[in-house]
């Protein structure tokens, strides 16, 4: 079995996973179900952000698995330490605070016809 085929094994399984719990199970990461129930999409989005920065080409499966596990552990830890609102991984949450510095458009009712 070649390294490139082995390296894609865990990535292919993660790509086919249908729940956050499957990610944790595949990578052998311990988690609190309450934390995952509140922040599952945020955790997976953050892990995806970490994965996007990685280069796995040519890496052996154990190395890829270990790096993926470390990224999931870090993403999970981000949301154990603070809330999804504090972390703001989704655009809608980022935009909610980014617009506070902009002047708001105000149209008085007297101007409406």
């Amino acid at each position: 079995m070649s390294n490139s085929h082995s390296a894609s094994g865990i990535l292919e399984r993660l790509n086919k996973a249908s729940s956050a719990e499957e990610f944790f199970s595949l990578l052998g990461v311990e988690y609190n179900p309450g934390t995952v129930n509140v922040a599952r999409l945020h955790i997976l989005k953050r892990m995806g952000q970490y994965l996007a920065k990685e280069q796995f080409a040519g890496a052996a499966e154990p190395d890829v698995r270990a790096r993926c596990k470390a990224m999931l552990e870090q993403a999970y830890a981000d949301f154990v330490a603070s809330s999804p609102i504090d972390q703001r991984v989704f655009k809608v949450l980022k935009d909610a605070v980014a617009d506070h510095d902009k002047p708001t458009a105000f149209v008085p009712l007297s101007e409406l016809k």
Side-chain angles (χ1 to χ4, degrees):
M1 194 178 249
S2 72
N3 276 351
S4 62
H5 181 60
S6 313
S8 64
I10 190 63
L11 295 177
E12 287 175 10
R13 287 184 292 239
L14 291 172
N15 193 41
K16 292 176 183 174
S18 62
S19 71
E21 290 82 358
E22 275 188 80
F23 276 73
F24 284 92
S25 177
L26 284 167
L27 294 170
V29 174
E30 298 279 328
Y31 66 95
N32 176 321
T35 301
V36 172
N37 284 338
V38 170
R40 71 181 57 246
L41 296 177
H42 303 271
I43 293 167
L44 294 179
K45 173 78 170 179
R46 177 60 56 82
M47 182 185 180
Q49 291 170 336
Y50 293 151
L51 282 169
K53 297 174 184 175
E54 291 290 315
Q55 293 294 325
F56 294 112
E61 169 105 16
D63 183 44
V64 173
R65 178 180 290 277
R67 287 162 59 192
C68 288
K69 181 178 180 178
M71 285 179 251
L72 180 56
E73 289 171 336
Q74 181 59 55
Y76 175 71
D78 291 347
F79 293 95
V80 168
S82 65
S83 73
I85 296 295
D86 294 334
Q87 291 292 320
R88 300 186 191 279
V89 294
F90 288 103
K91 184 179 182 329
V92 68
L93 296 175
K94 289 177 187 172
D95 290 350
V97 293
D99 294 337
H100 287 299
D101 295 336
K102 292 182 183 176
T104 57
F106 177 76
V107 178
L109 289 175
S110 61
E111 294 293 317
L112 298 176
K113 297 187 187 213

